[in-house]
């Protein structure tokens, strides 16, 4: 039975860098004196594990009054540039041209545009007129691993075709000075922008084989994570504390998901997890009974880029590939739903 293989992986970030100290100053200016609970939550800027992040706009831009038109324009501009950057690198590493791509899967949940991003970049990229486009919205932080599952299934359904997966997010565009909530302050401390692109095919070779992909959604958990939508734009929803939820529920779900593929946790040689925040990474280690500090690559990516939602897990995978994958790697991510997604990779 043929399996999908990752031929190449590339990542990209926008040019504007926001240090965590500047983000903290931004938050103090935006919320201090207006939000009574700000002092209680402001410590997240020091405990988030983030040193800097990248953004599609300079920090002064976010201090202006912003609504849907301004945020949407920034999303289309920034996301398209990130798409082209990441996809061009991934194609070059795979030894392919855009015209060689048969299917494009685009994962993005931080903006809305019709025509979708893949259509907007098609001419600049050089995609064929007959390329199949699969835009995916709403998966949030789980979008990287869930998108990998979608792209792998498409590659397997048409053996020999080339599938391009692009996960691109502009999370910083959800910065909202008008929402005086704990969740909004936490998001201001965590979010960054970035993109990742992978080329997949069923042929031999590549950097890794996709062995299995499984997803799980917990009942009655819609309020944990998501977006609110109003005239100003997208607003973050964190109605429950995610780290304790992950510590209690993630481990059993992973055991169940692996079991569906006939794999046990003891069969896993390495973990590549989406680092939602420093406390989430620690919760994942506890949930999976891992030595504290084992997820060092996750912490390094979080420190340098923040939480970029869907593409973040691929930044971790990129680091893992640079040092060489062992026999079996488990990728994990959690996102709105509330859901979890896993993928097991076998070394090429």
């Amino acid at each position: 039975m043929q399996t999908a293989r990752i031929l190449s992986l590339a990542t990209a970030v926008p040019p504007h860098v926001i240090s965590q100290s500047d983000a903290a100053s931004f938050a103090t200016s935006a919320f201090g004196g207006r939000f009574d609970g700000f002092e209680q939550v402001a410590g997240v800027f020091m405990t988030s594990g983030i040193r800097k992040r990248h953004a599609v706009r300079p920090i002064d831009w976010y201090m202006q009054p912003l609504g849907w038109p301004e945020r949407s324009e920034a999303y289309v501009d920034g996301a398209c540039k990130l798409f082209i950057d990441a996809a061009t690198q991934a194609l070059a590493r795979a030894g392919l041209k855009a015209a060689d791509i048969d299917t494009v899967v685009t994962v993005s949940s931080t903006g809305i545009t019709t025509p979708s991003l893949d259509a907007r970049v098609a001419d600049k990229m050089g995609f064929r007129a007959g390329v199949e486009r699969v835009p995916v919205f709403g998966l949030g932080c789980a979008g990287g691993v869930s998108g990998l599952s979608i792209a792998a299934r498409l590659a397997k359904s048409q053996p020999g075709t080339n599938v391009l997966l692009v996960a691109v997010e502009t999370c910083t565009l959800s910065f909202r000075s008008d929402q005086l909530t704990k969740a909004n302050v936490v998001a201001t401390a965590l979010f960054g922008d970035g993109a990742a692109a992978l080329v997949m095919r069923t042929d031999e070779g590549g950097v890794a084989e996709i062995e299995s992909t499984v997803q799980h959604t917990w009942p009655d958990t819609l309020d944990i994570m998501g977006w609110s939508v109003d005239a100003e734009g997208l607003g973050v929803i964190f109605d429950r504390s995610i780290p304790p939820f992950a510590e209690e529920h993630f481990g059993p779900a992973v055991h169940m998901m692996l079991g569906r593929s006939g794999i046990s946790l003891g069969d896993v040689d390495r973990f590549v997890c989406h680092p939602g925040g420093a406390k989430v990474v620690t919760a994942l280690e506890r949930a999976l009974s891992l030595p504290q500090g084992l997820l060092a690559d996750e912490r390094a990516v979080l420190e340098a880029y923040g939480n970029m939602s869907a593409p973040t897990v691929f930044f971790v995978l990129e680091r893992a590939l640079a040092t060489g994958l062992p026999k079996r790697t488990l990728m994990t991510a959690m996102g709105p739903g509330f859901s979890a997604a896993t993928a097991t990779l076998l070394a090429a």
Side-chain angles (χ1 to χ4, degrees):
M1 180 173 135
Q2 289 186 312
T3 58
R5 294 174 177 270
I6 299 173
L7 301 188
S8 64
L9 165 65
T11 59
V13 291
H16 306 289
V17 179
I18 299 177
S19 69
Q20 191 69 328
S21 59
D22 285 344
S25 297
F26 169 85
T28 301
S29 299
F31 306 117
R34 299 174 56 233
F35 176 30
D36 291 339
F38 177 69
E39 293 301 325
Q40 285 80 8
V41 72
V44 69
F45 288 91
M46 300 297 296
T47 62
S48 64
I50 296 168
R51 179 172 52 86
K52 65 175 179 65
R53 82 287 295 272
H54 294 251
V56 294
R57 291 290 185 268
I59 192 168
D60 291 347
W61 182 87
Y62 299 91
M63 297 180 181
Q64 307 174 65
L66 300 170
W68 263 113
E70 294 82 11
R71 296 179 197 274
S72 293
E73 181 182 3
Y75 170 72
V76 171
D77 176 64
C80 284
K81 289 176 180 176
L82 285 168
F83 185 118
I84 293 170
D85 190 355
T88 300
Q89 292 184 67
L91 288 168
R93 291 174 186 177
L96 298 173
K97 298 179 181 179
D100 298 320
I101 295 299
D102 301 288
T103 304
V104 181
V105 178
T106 306
V107 175
S108 188
S109 299
T110 45
I112 300 171
T113 177
T114 303
S116 52
L117 295 174
D118 41 26
R120 290 182 179 275
V121 303
D123 289 343
K124 288 185 179 179
M125 286 295 304
F127 292 137
R128 299 196 320 270
V131 70
E132 183 176 359
R133 298 184 294 115
V134 185
V136 181
F137 176 84
L139 296 175
C141 294
V145 179
S146 296
L148 184 72
S149 174
I150 295 169
R153 290 172 185 270
L154 290 170
K156 288 172 64 177
S157 70
Q158 298 181 349
T161 62
N162 298 312
V163 177
L164 173 67
L165 168 64
V166 181
V168 54
E169 302 288 13
T170 58
C171 302
T172 64
L173 298 180
S174 68
F175 289 172
R176 299 280 297 271
S177 61
D178 62 304
Q179 291 194 339
L180 306 180
T181 65
K182 177 181 177 180
N184 190 37
V185 176
V186 171
T188 306
L190 293 179
F191 284 159
D193 302 337
L198 297 84
V199 178
M200 280 177 271
R201 195 167 59 211
T202 55
D203 295 348
E204 296 294 322
V207 298
E209 174 187 333
I210 302 168
E211 179 187 30
S212 69
T213 60
V214 184
Q215 299 181 40
H216 175 76
T217 299
W218 288 276
D220 302 318
T221 56
L222 294 178
D223 62 340
I224 290 184
M225 178 189 292
W227 292 128
S228 62
V229 182
D230 58 32
E232 302 299 320
L234 301 174
V236 69
I237 295 174
F238 293 143
D239 272 5
R240 298 193 212 174
S241 183
I242 296 170
F245 183 93
E247 187 171 343
E248 180 179 357
H249 298 286
F250 188 66
V254 168
H255 282 284
M256 180 274 297
M257 288 187 282
L258 287 175
R260 287 172 57 184
S261 302
I263 304 168
S264 70
L265 203 59
D267 297 325
V268 175
D269 303 299
R270 177 162 186 154
F271 296 85
V272 169
C273 304
H274 168 73
K279 292 182 179 179
V280 172
V281 176
T282 299
L284 292 176
E285 289 174 335
R286 290 173 178 165
L288 299 173
S289 300
L290 304 176
Q292 292 297 293
L294 181 70
L295 300 180
D297 284 338
E298 284 79 354
R299 289 183 170 90
V301 168
L302 187 66
E303 179 184 19
Y305 302 102
N307 182 350
M308 300 169 284
S309 192
T312 317
V313 71
F314 294 126
F315 281 67
V316 181
L317 179 59
E318 186 176 46
R319 292 176 65 93
L321 287 169
T323 56
L325 292 184
K327 180 180 178 181
R328 178 178 282 117
T329 297
L330 174 65
M331 296 181 65
T332 74
M334 294 181 290
F338 189 66
S339 61
T342 62
T344 54
L345 307 180
L346 299 179

